Amino acid sequence: DTEVTQTPKHLVMGMTNKKSLKCEQHMGHRAMYWYKQKAKKPPELMFVYSYEKLSINESVPSRFSPECPNSSLLNLHLHALQPEDSALYLCASSQVDMGFLSTGELFFGEGSRLTVL
Amino acid sequence: DAKTTQPPSMDCAEGRAANLPCNHSTISGNEYVYWYRQIHSQGPQYIIHGLKNNETNEMASLIITEDRKSSTLILPHATLRDTAVYYCIVSGTASKLTFGTGTRLQVTL
């Protein structure tokens, strides 16, 4: 199984809603990532978890709250988002081979397309 | 991380080799060259990476110049399914990839 599964594929939410994006992998990877991709732009790194601990936060606003409940799951909790947060949210995973970092391949999911009204 | 420069777009005839260039003149000695591609509406897909030596796998070959200031990704026999945006990324770790604007490769009949 070399898949990273993201749910839901599409999500529409209002600015006062609380919702969550979910990501799951069963490849035994101990690093998991959230990227954000706005339309016609490249993906941008948001968070990195390594061994279920947050290791990189790219100065993401607190309305985005990541959670890694176990080595296979990664959540992104959303609250009080703005319309400009509408984007494709990509999850990825990888092996860890250099301390808490990786040097090899990242496996990406298909993404969750978020629309904030 | 070092900045990369790629042509915004390229065309390639199906069945021919696609050679995608990348300049990374400020690369540091411990930084890898990674290539990913993103087919429309899908997540990025890893292609290949290297540090100093040329690399080959079932998808592509990566040629890195001796001074490491540039590299070329080679898709030996491009097909229509290879139409995608190709990203060249230079980083000391895969845990912190900074995607640039990439090269949009269009494979045509």
Short mmCIF file of all heavy atoms in Angstrom, two decimals, chain A residues 55-114:
data_model
loop_
_atom_site.label_atom_id
_atom_site.label_comp_id
_atom_site.label_asym_id
_atom_site.label_seq_id
_atom_site.Cartn_x
_atom_site.Cartn_y
_atom_site.Cartn_z
N SER A 55 7.42 19.22 14.23
CA SER A 55 8.82 19.59 14.10
C SER A 55 9.01 20.86 13.29
O SER A 55 10.01 21.56 13.45
CB SER A 55 9.63 18.44 13.50
OG SER A 55 9.14 18.08 12.22
N ILE A 56 8.09 21.16 12.39
CA ILE A 56 8.18 22.39 11.60
C ILE A 56 6.79 23.01 11.50
O ILE A 56 5.82 22.34 11.16
CB ILE A 56 8.73 22.12 10.17
CG1 ILE A 56 10.16 21.57 10.24
CG2 ILE A 56 8.69 23.39 9.33
CD1 ILE A 56 10.75 21.18 8.89
N ASN A 57 6.72 24.30 11.83
CA ASN A 57 5.50 25.11 11.63
C ASN A 57 5.96 26.33 10.86
O ASN A 57 6.74 27.13 11.36
CB ASN A 57 4.90 25.49 12.98
CG ASN A 57 3.68 26.41 12.86
OD1 ASN A 57 3.44 27.02 11.81
ND2 ASN A 57 2.92 26.50 13.91
N GLU A 58 5.49 26.46 9.63
CA GLU A 58 5.93 27.56 8.78
C GLU A 58 5.12 28.82 9.04
O GLU A 58 4.56 29.42 8.13
CB GLU A 58 5.85 27.14 7.31
CG GLU A 58 6.84 26.07 6.93
CD GLU A 58 8.28 26.58 6.87
OE1 GLU A 58 8.71 27.05 5.80
OE2 GLU A 58 8.96 26.51 7.91
N SER A 59 5.06 29.21 10.32
CA SER A 59 4.37 30.46 10.70
C SER A 59 2.94 30.49 10.19
O SER A 59 2.47 31.51 9.65
CB SER A 59 5.14 31.69 10.19
OG SER A 59 6.46 31.67 10.68
N VAL A 60 2.25 29.38 10.38
CA VAL A 60 0.87 29.26 9.91
C VAL A 60 -0.07 29.90 10.95
O VAL A 60 0.12 29.69 12.15
CB VAL A 60 0.50 27.79 9.69
CG1 VAL A 60 -0.95 27.64 9.24
CG2 VAL A 60 1.44 27.15 8.68
N PRO A 61 -1.09 30.66 10.51
CA PRO A 61 -2.03 31.26 11.47
C PRO A 61 -2.70 30.21 12.35
O PRO A 61 -2.92 29.07 11.92
CB PRO A 61 -3.06 31.93 10.55
CG PRO A 61 -2.36 32.15 9.26
CD PRO A 61 -1.37 31.03 9.13
N SER A 62 -3.04 30.61 13.57
CA SER A 62 -3.57 29.67 14.55
C SER A 62 -4.95 29.15 14.21
O SER A 62 -5.42 28.20 14.85
CB SER A 62 -3.60 30.33 15.93
OG SER A 62 -4.43 31.47 15.90
N ARG A 63 -5.61 29.73 13.22
CA ARG A 63 -6.90 29.17 12.79
C ARG A 63 -6.73 27.80 12.12
O ARG A 63 -7.70 27.10 11.90
CB ARG A 63 -7.63 30.15 11.87
CG ARG A 63 -6.89 30.56 10.63
CD ARG A 63 -7.69 31.63 9.88
NE ARG A 63 -7.09 32.01 8.62
CZ ARG A 63 -6.21 33.00 8.49
NH1 ARG A 63 -5.82 33.69 9.58
NH2 ARG A 63 -5.71 33.30 7.30
N PHE A 64 -5.50 27.45 11.80
CA PHE A 64 -5.16 26.10 11.34
C PHE A 64 -4.47 25.38 12.49
O PHE A 64 -3.42 25.83 12.96
CB PHE A 64 -4.21 26.15 10.13
CG PHE A 64 -4.80 26.79 8.92
CD1 PHE A 64 -4.64 28.14 8.67
CD2 PHE A 64 -5.50 26.02 8.00
CE1 PHE A 64 -5.17 28.73 7.54
CE2 PHE A 64 -6.04 26.59 6.86
CZ PHE A 64 -5.88 27.95 6.63
N SER A 65 -5.03 24.25 12.92
CA SER A 65 -4.48 23.54 14.06
C SER A 65 -4.22 22.09 13.67
O SER A 65 -5.15 21.31 13.48
CB SER A 65 -5.46 23.61 15.23
OG SER A 65 -4.98 22.85 16.31
N PRO A 66 -2.95 21.69 13.54
CA PRO A 66 -2.67 20.31 13.16
C PRO A 66 -2.69 19.39 14.38
O PRO A 66 -2.51 19.82 15.52
CB PRO A 66 -1.26 20.40 12.58
CG PRO A 66 -0.62 21.51 13.36
CD PRO A 66 -1.72 22.49 13.67
N GLU A 67 -2.90 18.12 14.08
CA GLU A 67 -2.89 17.11 15.14
C GLU A 67 -2.43 15.79 14.54
O GLU A 67 -2.85 15.44 13.44
CB GLU A 67 -4.31 16.94 15.72
CG GLU A 67 -4.41 15.87 16.79
CD GLU A 67 -5.85 15.44 17.06
OE1 GLU A 67 -6.72 15.66 16.18
OE2 GLU A 67 -6.09 14.86 18.13
N CYS A 68 -1.58 15.09 15.25
CA CYS A 68 -1.11 13.79 14.79
C CYS A 68 -1.40 12.77 15.90
O CYS A 68 -0.55 12.52 16.75
CB CYS A 68 0.37 13.84 14.47
SG CYS A 68 1.01 12.38 13.62
N PRO A 69 -2.59 12.17 15.92
CA PRO A 69 -2.97 11.28 17.02
C PRO A 69 -2.19 9.98 17.08
O PRO A 69 -2.04 9.41 18.15
CB PRO A 69 -4.45 11.03 16.77
CG PRO A 69 -4.71 11.41 15.36
CD PRO A 69 -3.67 12.39 14.96
N ASN A 70 -1.71 9.50 15.94
CA ASN A 70 -0.84 8.33 15.92
C ASN A 70 -0.01 8.34 14.64
O ASN A 70 -0.15 9.25 13.82
CB ASN A 70 -1.63 7.02 16.08
CG ASN A 70 -2.63 6.81 14.96
OD1 ASN A 70 -2.26 6.83 13.78
ND2 ASN A 70 -3.89 6.61 15.31
N SER A 71 0.82 7.35 14.47
CA SER A 71 1.79 7.39 13.37
C SER A 71 1.15 7.26 12.00
O SER A 71 1.80 7.52 10.99
CB SER A 71 2.83 6.28 13.54
OG SER A 71 2.22 5.01 13.56
N SER A 72 -0.13 6.88 11.95
CA SER A 72 -0.79 6.70 10.65
C SER A 72 -1.72 7.84 10.28
O SER A 72 -2.16 7.91 9.13
CB SER A 72 -1.60 5.39 10.64
OG SER A 72 -0.79 4.28 10.87
N LEU A 73 -2.06 8.67 11.24
CA LEU A 73 -3.10 9.67 11.03
C LEU A 73 -2.58 11.09 11.22
O LEU A 73 -1.75 11.35 12.10
CB LEU A 73 -4.26 9.44 12.00
CG LEU A 73 -5.06 8.16 11.84
CD1 LEU A 73 -6.08 8.04 12.97
CD2 LEU A 73 -5.76 8.11 10.50
N LEU A 74 -3.10 11.99 10.41
CA LEU A 74 -2.78 13.41 10.54
C LEU A 74 -4.06 14.19 10.27
O LEU A 74 -4.76 13.92 9.29
CB LEU A 74 -1.71 13.81 9.52
CG LEU A 74 -1.19 15.24 9.58
CD1 LEU A 74 -0.42 15.48 10.88
CD2 LEU A 74 -0.29 15.53 8.39
N ASN A 75 -4.38 15.09 11.18
CA ASN A 75 -5.57 15.92 11.02
C ASN A 75 -5.18 17.38 10.88
O ASN A 75 -4.12 17.81 11.36
CB ASN A 75 -6.50 15.78 12.24
CG ASN A 75 -7.00 14.36 12.44
OD1 ASN A 75 -7.33 13.68 11.47
ND2 ASN A 75 -7.07 13.92 13.68
N LEU A 76 -6.04 18.14 10.25
CA LEU A 76 -5.89 19.59 10.21
C LEU A 76 -7.23 20.19 10.60
O LEU A 76 -8.21 20.07 9.86
CB LEU A 76 -5.47 20.07 8.82
CG LEU A 76 -5.14 21.57 8.71
CD1 LEU A 76 -3.94 21.92 9.58
CD2 LEU A 76 -4.87 21.95 7.26
N HIS A 77 -7.28 20.77 11.81
CA HIS A 77 -8.51 21.35 12.32
C HIS A 77 -8.59 22.81 11.86
O HIS A 77 -7.61 23.56 11.93
CB HIS A 77 -8.55 21.26 13.84
CG HIS A 77 -8.43 19.85 14.35
ND1 HIS A 77 -9.36 18.86 14.05
CD2 HIS A 77 -7.47 19.25 15.11
CE1 HIS A 77 -9.00 17.74 14.62
NE2 HIS A 77 -7.86 17.93 15.27
N LEU A 78 -9.79 23.15 11.39
CA LEU A 78 -10.01 24.46 10.77
C LEU A 78 -11.05 25.23 11.56
O LEU A 78 -12.13 24.69 11.85
CB LEU A 78 -10.49 24.27 9.33
CG LEU A 78 -9.71 23.25 8.48
CD1 LEU A 78 -10.45 22.98 7.18
CD2 LEU A 78 -8.31 23.73 8.23
N HIS A 79 -10.77 26.47 11.87
CA HIS A 79 -11.73 27.27 12.65
C HIS A 79 -11.55 28.74 12.31
O HIS A 79 -10.45 29.25 12.28
CB HIS A 79 -11.50 27.05 14.15
CG HIS A 79 -12.34 27.94 15.01
ND1 HIS A 79 -13.72 28.03 14.88
CD2 HIS A 79 -12.02 28.79 16.01
CE1 HIS A 79 -14.19 28.88 15.76
NE2 HIS A 79 -13.20 29.35 16.47
N ALA A 80 -12.68 29.40 12.07
CA ALA A 80 -12.68 30.83 11.78
C ALA A 80 -11.82 31.16 10.57
O ALA A 80 -11.00 32.11 10.61
CB ALA A 80 -12.26 31.64 13.01
N LEU A 81 -11.96 30.37 9.53
CA LEU A 81 -11.17 30.62 8.33
C LEU A 81 -11.71 31.80 7.55
O LEU A 81 -12.85 32.24 7.73
CB LEU A 81 -11.16 29.38 7.44
CG LEU A 81 -10.49 28.14 7.99
CD1 LEU A 81 -10.26 27.11 6.90
CD2 LEU A 81 -9.17 28.45 8.67
N GLN A 82 -10.87 32.30 6.66
CA GLN A 82 -11.21 33.42 5.80
C GLN A 82 -11.37 32.92 4.36
O GLN A 82 -10.82 31.88 4.00
CB GLN A 82 -10.10 34.47 5.86
CG GLN A 82 -9.80 34.99 7.26
CD GLN A 82 -11.01 35.71 7.84
OE1 GLN A 82 -11.60 36.56 7.18
NE2 GLN A 82 -11.38 35.35 9.05
N PRO A 83 -12.08 33.65 3.52
CA PRO A 83 -12.22 33.22 2.12
C PRO A 83 -10.87 33.01 1.42
O PRO A 83 -10.74 32.13 0.58
CB PRO A 83 -13.01 34.36 1.48
CG PRO A 83 -13.84 34.91 2.60
CD PRO A 83 -12.96 34.80 3.82
N GLU A 84 -9.86 33.78 1.81
CA GLU A 84 -8.54 33.62 1.18
C GLU A 84 -7.84 32.32 1.57
O GLU A 84 -6.78 31.98 1.02
CB GLU A 84 -7.62 34.81 1.50
CG GLU A 84 -7.37 35.05 2.96
CD GLU A 84 -8.32 36.09 3.54
OE1 GLU A 84 -9.46 36.22 3.02
OE2 GLU A 84 -7.92 36.76 4.51
N ASP A 85 -8.41 31.59 2.52
CA ASP A 85 -7.87 30.28 2.89
C ASP A 85 -8.38 29.17 1.96
O ASP A 85 -7.96 28.01 2.09
CB ASP A 85 -8.25 29.93 4.33
CG ASP A 85 -7.64 30.88 5.34
OD1 ASP A 85 -6.47 31.28 5.15
OD2 ASP A 85 -8.34 31.24 6.32
N SER A 86 -9.25 29.53 1.05
CA SER A 86 -9.71 28.55 0.07
C SER A 86 -8.54 28.08 -0.76
O SER A 86 -7.79 28.89 -1.31
CB SER A 86 -10.77 29.18 -0.84
OG SER A 86 -11.91 29.57 -0.09
N ALA A 87 -8.36 26.76 -0.82
CA ALA A 87 -7.18 26.20 -1.48
C ALA A 87 -7.30 24.68 -1.51
O ALA A 87 -8.22 24.10 -0.94
CB ALA A 87 -5.90 26.60 -0.74
N LEU A 88 -6.32 24.06 -2.16
CA LEU A 88 -6.16 22.60 -2.10
C LEU A 88 -5.18 22.30 -0.97
O LEU A 88 -4.07 22.85 -0.95
CB LEU A 88 -5.61 22.08 -3.43
CG LEU A 88 -5.42 20.57 -3.56
CD1 LEU A 88 -6.76 19.84 -3.56
CD2 LEU A 88 -4.64 20.25 -4.83
N TYR A 89 -5.61 21.48 -0.02
CA TYR A 89 -4.74 21.12 1.10
C TYR A 89 -4.23 19.70 0.86
O TYR A 89 -4.99 18.75 0.75
CB TYR A 89 -5.48 21.26 2.42
CG TYR A 89 -5.70 22.71 2.75
CD1 TYR A 89 -6.78 23.40 2.23
CD2 TYR A 89 -4.77 23.41 3.51
CE1 TYR A 89 -6.95 24.76 2.48
CE2 TYR A 89 -4.93 24.77 3.77
CZ TYR A 89 -6.02 25.44 3.24
OH TYR A 89 -6.18 26.79 3.47
N LEU A 90 -2.91 19.61 0.80
CA LEU A 90 -2.24 18.36 0.45
C LEU A 90 -1.56 17.78 1.68
O LEU A 90 -0.86 18.49 2.41
CB LEU A 90 -1.19 18.60 -0.64
CG LEU A 90 -1.72 19.02 -2.00
CD1 LEU A 90 -0.63 19.72 -2.80
CD2 LEU A 90 -2.24 17.82 -2.76
N CYS A 91 -1.73 16.49 1.86
CA CYS A 91 -1.04 15.75 2.91
C CYS A 91 0.04 14.89 2.24
O CYS A 91 -0.13 14.43 1.10
CB CYS A 91 -2.02 14.88 3.66
SG CYS A 91 -1.29 13.79 4.90
N ALA A 92 1.14 14.70 2.93
CA ALA A 92 2.20 13.84 2.42
C ALA A 92 2.83 13.07 3.57
O ALA A 92 2.67 13.44 4.74
CB ALA A 92 3.27 14.66 1.70
N SER A 93 3.54 12.01 3.24
CA SER A 93 4.26 11.25 4.26
C SER A 93 5.59 10.79 3.69
O SER A 93 5.80 10.75 2.47
CB SER A 93 3.43 10.05 4.74
OG SER A 93 3.36 9.05 3.73
N SER A 94 6.51 10.46 4.60
CA SER A 94 7.82 9.98 4.17
C SER A 94 8.49 9.20 5.30
O SER A 94 8.09 9.31 6.46
CB SER A 94 8.73 11.13 3.73
OG SER A 94 9.18 11.87 4.86
N GLN A 95 9.51 8.47 4.93
CA GLN A 95 10.39 7.88 5.93
C GLN A 95 11.17 9.00 6.62
O GLN A 95 11.33 10.09 6.07
CB GLN A 95 11.39 6.93 5.27
CG GLN A 95 10.78 5.79 4.50
CD GLN A 95 10.42 4.62 5.38
OE1 GLN A 95 10.31 4.74 6.60
NE2 GLN A 95 10.22 3.46 4.76
N VAL A 96 11.66 8.72 7.81
CA VAL A 96 12.59 9.61 8.50
C VAL A 96 13.95 8.93 8.48
O VAL A 96 14.07 7.78 8.91
CB VAL A 96 12.16 9.89 9.94
CG1 VAL A 96 13.18 10.78 10.64
CG2 VAL A 96 10.79 10.54 9.97
N ASP A 97 14.98 9.60 7.95
CA ASP A 97 16.28 8.93 7.86
C ASP A 97 17.42 9.81 8.31
O ASP A 97 18.58 9.44 8.13
CB ASP A 97 16.52 8.44 6.43
CG ASP A 97 16.38 9.54 5.39
OD1 ASP A 97 16.55 10.72 5.74
OD2 ASP A 97 16.07 9.23 4.23
N MET A 98 17.12 10.98 8.87
CA MET A 98 18.19 11.91 9.28
C MET A 98 17.70 12.66 10.51
O MET A 98 17.20 13.76 10.42
CB MET A 98 18.49 12.87 8.13
CG MET A 98 19.78 13.65 8.28
SD MET A 98 20.23 14.52 6.76
CE MET A 98 19.02 15.84 6.73
N GLY A 99 17.82 12.04 11.67
CA GLY A 99 17.30 12.68 12.88
C GLY A 99 15.79 12.71 12.82
O GLY A 99 15.14 11.69 12.86
N PHE A 100 15.23 13.90 12.74
CA PHE A 100 13.79 14.02 12.59
C PHE A 100 13.43 14.46 11.17
O PHE A 100 12.29 14.79 10.89
CB PHE A 100 13.21 15.01 13.61
CG PHE A 100 13.65 16.44 13.41
CD1 PHE A 100 12.88 17.32 12.67
CD2 PHE A 100 14.84 16.90 13.95
CE1 PHE A 100 13.29 18.64 12.48
CE2 PHE A 100 15.25 18.21 13.76
CZ PHE A 100 14.48 19.08 13.03
N LEU A 101 14.41 14.44 10.29
CA LEU A 101 14.19 14.91 8.92
C LEU A 101 14.26 13.76 7.93
O LEU A 101 14.72 12.66 8.25
CB LEU A 101 15.25 15.96 8.56
CG LEU A 101 15.29 17.22 9.42
CD1 LEU A 101 16.46 18.08 9.02
CD2 LEU A 101 13.98 17.98 9.33
N SER A 102 13.84 14.03 6.73
CA SER A 102 13.86 13.04 5.64
C SER A 102 14.71 13.57 4.50
O SER A 102 14.82 14.78 4.30
CB SER A 102 12.45 12.77 5.13
OG SER A 102 11.60 12.33 6.15
N THR A 103 15.30 12.64 3.76
CA THR A 103 16.03 13.04 2.55
C THR A 103 15.46 12.38 1.30
O THR A 103 15.92 12.65 0.21
CB THR A 103 17.53 12.68 2.66
OG1 THR A 103 17.64 11.27 2.86
CG2 THR A 103 18.21 13.43 3.78
N GLY A 104 14.48 11.52 1.49
CA GLY A 104 14.00 10.75 0.35
C GLY A 104 12.67 11.23 -0.21
O GLY A 104 12.37 12.41 -0.21
N GLU A 105 11.87 10.27 -0.61
CA GLU A 105 10.64 10.54 -1.35
C GLU A 105 9.49 10.91 -0.43
O GLU A 105 9.27 10.26 0.58
CB GLU A 105 10.27 9.29 -2.15
CG GLU A 105 8.96 9.35 -2.89
CD GLU A 105 8.68 8.07 -3.65
OE1 GLU A 105 9.53 7.15 -3.63
OE2 GLU A 105 7.60 7.98 -4.26
N LEU A 106 8.75 11.95 -0.79
CA LEU A 106 7.48 12.26 -0.17
C LEU A 106 6.36 11.67 -1.01
O LEU A 106 6.36 11.80 -2.23
CB LEU A 106 7.27 13.78 -0.06
CG LEU A 106 7.67 14.47 1.24
CD1 LEU A 106 9.15 14.34 1.49
CD2 LEU A 106 7.24 15.93 1.22
N PHE A 107 5.42 11.01 -0.33
CA PHE A 107 4.24 10.48 -0.98
C PHE A 107 3.08 11.44 -0.68
O PHE A 107 2.75 11.64 0.49
CB PHE A 107 3.90 9.09 -0.45
CG PHE A 107 4.89 8.03 -0.83
CD1 PHE A 107 6.11 7.91 -0.18
CD2 PHE A 107 4.61 7.14 -1.86
CE1 PHE A 107 7.02 6.93 -0.53
CE2 PHE A 107 5.51 6.15 -2.22
CZ PHE A 107 6.73 6.04 -1.55
N PHE A 108 2.48 11.99 -1.72
CA PHE A 108 1.39 12.94 -1.55
C PHE A 108 0.04 12.27 -1.77
O PHE A 108 -0.10 11.37 -2.61
CB PHE A 108 1.52 14.10 -2.54
CG PHE A 108 2.53 15.13 -2.17
CD1 PHE A 108 3.87 14.96 -2.48
CD2 PHE A 108 2.15 16.29 -1.50
CE1 PHE A 108 4.81 15.92 -2.14
CE2 PHE A 108 3.08 17.26 -1.15
CZ PHE A 108 4.42 17.07 -1.47
N GLY A 109 -0.95 12.77 -1.04
CA GLY A 109 -2.32 12.41 -1.31
C GLY A 109 -2.89 13.27 -2.43
O GLY A 109 -2.20 14.15 -2.98
N GLU A 110 -4.16 13.02 -2.78
CA GLU A 110 -4.80 13.75 -3.87
C GLU A 110 -5.28 15.13 -3.42
O GLU A 110 -5.61 15.97 -4.25
CB GLU A 110 -5.99 12.96 -4.41
CG GLU A 110 -5.60 11.63 -5.05
CD GLU A 110 -4.81 11.83 -6.31
OE1 GLU A 110 -5.33 12.41 -7.27
OE2 GLU A 110 -3.64 11.40 -6.35
N GLY A 111 -5.33 15.35 -2.13
CA GLY A 111 -5.70 16.67 -1.62
C GLY A 111 -7.16 16.79 -1.24
O GLY A 111 -8.01 16.00 -1.68
N SER A 112 -7.43 17.76 -0.38
CA SER A 112 -8.79 18.16 -0.02
C SER A 112 -8.99 19.59 -0.50
O SER A 112 -8.23 20.48 -0.11
CB SER A 112 -8.99 18.11 1.50
OG SER A 112 -8.93 16.79 1.98
N ARG A 113 -9.99 19.77 -1.36
CA ARG A 113 -10.23 21.11 -1.91
C ARG A 113 -11.20 21.83 -0.99
O ARG A 113 -12.36 21.41 -0.85
CB ARG A 113 -10.76 21.02 -3.33
CG ARG A 113 -10.82 22.40 -4.01
CD ARG A 113 -10.98 22.29 -5.52
NE ARG A 113 -9.89 21.59 -6.17
CZ ARG A 113 -8.72 22.13 -6.47
NH1 ARG A 113 -8.48 23.39 -6.15
NH2 ARG A 113 -7.80 21.42 -7.09
N LEU A 114 -10.74 22.91 -0.39
CA LEU A 114 -11.51 23.66 0.60
C LEU A 114 -11.99 24.97 0.01
O LEU A 114 -11.21 25.71 -0.59
CB LEU A 114 -10.65 23.94 1.83
CG LEU A 114 -11.27 24.86 2.89
CD1 LEU A 114 -12.44 24.17 3.57
CD2 LEU A 114 -10.22 25.27 3.92
#
